[in-house]
Amino acid sequence: MKKIGKQGTWGVALFLFLAPILLIFSIRWILIEPFVIPSESMLPNLMVHDHILVSKFEYGLKKPIGDGWLIRYKSPKRGDIVVLRFAEKRDVFLIKMDRVP
């Protein structure tokens, strides 16, 4: 029996599966990334377990794998909240802010 109508192919199915995943990873790499405040070090500005979205495109474009910048065009200013990696444990992120006098 011959099927009537539109029939998908493996290429279309693979594209429909991988395209959203690639889109999400691209947005997290270039534009924004979510973080959770792990400790009381940011009180009273940010509470423990607050969720924040970090603008990753604010200071430049980082390499997707490893450290370093592809393009860097701005540096953090006093009063900015920054997220950085802990030097001894690369999987631990620190969230800090310079206090404005």
Side-chain angles (χ1 to χ4, degrees), residues 24-40:
I24 289 169
F25 280 119
S26 297
I27 288 172
R28 283 189 64 149
W29 169 52
I30 296 173
L31 297 177
I32 59 173
E33 187 170 351
F35 288 96
V36 176
I37 307 299
S39 69
E40 298 175 352

Side-chain angles (χ1 to χ4, degrees), residues 33-92:
E33 187 170 351
F35 288 96
V36 176
I37 307 299
S39 69
E40 298 175 352
S41 66
M42 293 295 294
L43 286 174
N45 298 325
L46 297 172
M47 306 302 272
V48 178
H49 300 297
D50 274 354
H51 296 263
I52 60 172
L53 290 176
V54 175
S55 173
K56 296 185 80 171
F57 196 67
E58 187 73 24
Y59 302 114
L61 187 61
K62 291 190 69 99
K63 293 179 183 177
I65 298 174
D67 293 333
W69 295 89
L70 293 175
I71 301 169
R72 186 170 182 179
Y73 47 82
K74 190 175 170 185
S75 295
K77 294 179 282 195
R78 189 167 193 80
D80 286 350
I81 296 173
V82 294
V83 177
L84 49 115
R85 290 182 187 267
F86 187 53
E88 296 173 8
K89 286 186 171 182
R90 302 296 292 164
D91 59 337
V92 175

Side-chain angles (χ1 to χ4, degrees), residues 10-24:
W10 277 104
V12 172
L14 194 59
F15 173 76
L16 290 175
F17 178 74
L18 291 178
I21 293 172
L22 291 173
L23 180 67
I24 289 169

